[in-house]
């Protein structure tokens, strides 16, 4: 995209044209950007899933940390992750922008490029949105739509006592990267940095697990495993035991966390923004789950057990129970 213009020269409609000129045709899109409403058609027999997320400057992101490209990617990634957690197929997105005065056009170009790259990677078509002026900071709101056959959709409410609790990938990287960024100390760790600034939604794995029928409940880990498993427990009417020593962590995480004065598993247990999947499944499905997940080049690890109690406990191997400082990120506490 060439930048001969400022945003004020371009105006609202110029900007919308600038975004839409890079949008490719998508599956099921009958009418995309440009009309009063978009028109889409679902695959026969499937249901529509819809989810929306807001990202506010200085609440969810800082412009000095995120390049426009990575911010564009992440704005869609967090929504795609919610769809992955339902085992559904992401299809369409709406993008609403509140733009502060003086935001460089280059920033919007980079943002759009990142957003559309993430969209292409996950088969999502941008079909509309809204664009307005913001008096304080950049406001990004993304609505995603997805589809799946009704019987295959995985909810938070299906966990049963005796099921194992699993997580994909590794936990704690994003929270550690955030701590290090806040202390100006992340230099030279691109792996950790990418886990915070450029998360990978587990779309293909989530869908495979759903279609395999092996899992009973699923959620994406956006607020920390303890908090997010807590949502499964609450909606399923169950409790759980999490074994922090079994939580999968990455090599860079272990290297950095070794010198931390805090409870070593605190970040892995309660740190947000990893966008891994946590799910529950009967123990007899272990082997099949491992092979299903491996097909996508990642690992999944059993980290706990669903119980019929009313609480979620954290149990160390010496038999002691650990009460974490805070279960996870919450905007109002
Ligand atoms: P209306 O006034 O009817 O709300 P708009 O002028 O806001 O329509 O939008 C015109 C078209 O551009 C619509 O199809 C809308 O979905 C699309 N659009 C607006 N803003 C964006 C955006 N940030 N990204 C993608 N599409 C957008
Ligand atoms: Mg509008």
């Amino acid at each position: 995209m060439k930048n001969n213009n400022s945003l004020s020269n371009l105006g609202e409609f110029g900007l919308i044209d600038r975004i839409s000129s890079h949008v490719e045709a998508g599956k099921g899109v009958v009418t995309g950007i440009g009309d009063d409403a978009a028109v889409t058609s679902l695959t026969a027999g499937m249901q529509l899933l819809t989810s929306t997320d807001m990202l506010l400057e200085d609440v969810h992101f800082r412009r000095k940390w995120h390049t426009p490209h990575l911010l564009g990617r992440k704005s869609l990634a967090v929504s795609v992750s919610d769809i992955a957690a339902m085992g559904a197929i992401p299809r369409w997105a709406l993008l609403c922008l509140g733009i502060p005065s003086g935001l460089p056009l280059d920033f919007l170009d980079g943002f759009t490029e990142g957003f559309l790259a993430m969209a292409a990677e996950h088969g999502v078509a941008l079909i509309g949105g809204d664009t307005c002026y913001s008096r304080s900071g950049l406001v990004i709101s993304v609505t995603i739509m997805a589809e799946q056959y009704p019987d295959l959709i995985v909810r938070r409410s299906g966990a049963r006592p005796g099921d194992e609790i699993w997580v994909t990938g590794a936990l704690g990287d994003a929270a550690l990267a955030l701590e290090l960024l806040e202390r100006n100390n992340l230099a030279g760790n691109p792996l950790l940095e990418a886990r915070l600034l450029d998360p990978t939604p587990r779309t293909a794995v989530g869908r495979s697990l759903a279609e395999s029928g092996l899992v009973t409940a699923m959620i994406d880990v956006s607020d920390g495993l303890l908090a997010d498993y807590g949502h499964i427990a609450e909606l399923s009417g169950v409790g759980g035991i999490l074994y922090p020593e079994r939580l999968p962590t990455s090599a860079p995480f272990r290297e950095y966390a070794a010198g931390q004065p805090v409870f070593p598993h605190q970040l892995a247990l309660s740190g947000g923004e990893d966008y891994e999947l946590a799910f529950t499944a009967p123990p007899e499905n272990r082997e099949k789950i491992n092979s299903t997940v491996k097909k996508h080049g990642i690992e999944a690890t059993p980290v706990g057990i669903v119980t019929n109690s009313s609480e979620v406990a954290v149990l160390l191997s010496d038999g002691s129970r650990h009460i974490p400082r805070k279960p996870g990120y919450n905007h109002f506490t």
Side-chain angles (χ1 to χ4, degrees):
M1 290 182 223
K2 257 187 115 185
N3 179 10
N4 312 319
N5 278 307
S6 73
L7 197 49
S8 51
N9 286 338
L10 208 56
E12 179 188 337
F13 298 107
L15 178 63
I16 295 172
D17 285 346
R18 206 171 168 90
I19 295 174
S20 66
S21 66
H22 296 273
V23 171
E24 289 162 20
K27 186 170 188 296
V29 180
V30 182
T31 304
I33 294 174
D35 217 313
D36 292 310
V39 184
T40 52
S41 49
L42 287 169
T43 301
M46 289 194 179
Q47 287 181 332
L48 177 68
L49 298 92
T50 311
S51 174
T52 197
D53 278 293
M54 289 183 83
L55 285 104
L56 307 181
E57 184 169 353
D58 295 329
V59 177
H60 301 95
F61 66 91
R62 305 214 186 148
R63 261 198 269 162
K64 70 172 185 200
W65 289 349
H66 294 78
T67 65
H69 184 88
L70 291 183
L71 184 62
R73 290 182 62 83
K74 188 166 175 177
S75 299
L76 182 59
V78 299
S79 295
V80 171
S81 178
D82 284 322
I83 296 304
M86 304 293 288
I89 309 156
R91 292 282 189 221
W92 311 295
L94 299 167
L95 170 63
C96 299
L97 295 171
I99 300 172
S101 66
L103 190 79
L105 190 54
D106 279 347
F107 187 99
L108 284 164
D109 284 345
F111 176 91
T112 304
E113 200 184 275
F115 186 97
L116 293 177
M118 177 63 63
E121 285 164 32
H122 294 273
V124 173
L126 181 63
I127 57 167
D130 203 15
T131 305
C132 47
Y133 171 69
S134 163
R135 276 187 203 285
S136 60
L138 178 60
V139 178
I140 303 160
S141 166
V142 176
T143 299
I144 192 158
M145 282 161 278
E147 58 178 359
Q148 184 52 285
Y149 293 107
D151 296 350
L152 301 184
I153 296 168
V154 184
R155 293 176 172 78
R156 297 177 178 185
S157 53
R160 289 169 302 212
D163 284 354
E164 290 181 307
I165 304 165
W166 293 70
V167 289
T168 60
L171 296 179
D173 287 341
L176 177 58
L178 183 62
E179 279 211 14
L180 294 172
L181 265 177
E182 278 170 346
R183 285 191 252 138
N184 257 327
N185 202 11
L186 188 58
N189 211 313
L191 269 175
L192 280 180
E193 188 173 45
R195 292 274 291 162
L196 175 68
L197 300 182
D198 192 16
T200 306
R202 302 298 191 190
T203 321
V205 178
R207 183 177 170 185
S208 282
L209 287 169
E211 290 175 353
S212 71
L214 296 167
V215 301
T216 51
M218 191 150 63
I219 192 167
D220 65 324
V221 184
S222 55
D223 298 327
L225 177 64
L226 192 61
D228 289 319
Y229 176 71
H231 297 314
I232 287 186
E234 194 186 335
L235 283 175
S236 298
V238 296
I241 299 172
L242 292 168
Y243 303 103
E245 285 132 326
R246 297 184 197 169
L247 298 184
T249 53
S250 70
F253 178 93
R254 288 192 295 275
E255 205 173 294
Y256 273 100
Q260 298 275 325
V262 294
F263 175 66
H265 303 286
Q266 181 78 44
L267 285 175
L269 202 53
S270 302
E273 297 216 87
D274 285 315
Y275 297 103
E276 296 291 354
L277 295 175
F279 57 90
T280 57
E284 59 270 24
N285 293 352
R286 237 187 211 224
E287 294 294 299
K288 285 184 185 156
I289 287 170
N290 277 321
S291 63
T292 301
V293 165
K294 279 209 177 80
K295 278 182 207 139
H296 299 285
I298 62 167
E299 303 271 324
T301 313
V303 298
I305 192 97
V306 180
T307 65
N308 57 14
S309 99
S310 59
E311 55 160 28
V312 178
V314 175
L315 198 63
L316 292 167
S317 56
D318 65 7
S320 64
R321 280 178 180 239
H322 176 76
I323 307 301
R325 235 180 330 150
K326 53 172 187 175
Y329 190 76
N330 180 323
H331 275 270
F332 300 107
T333 56

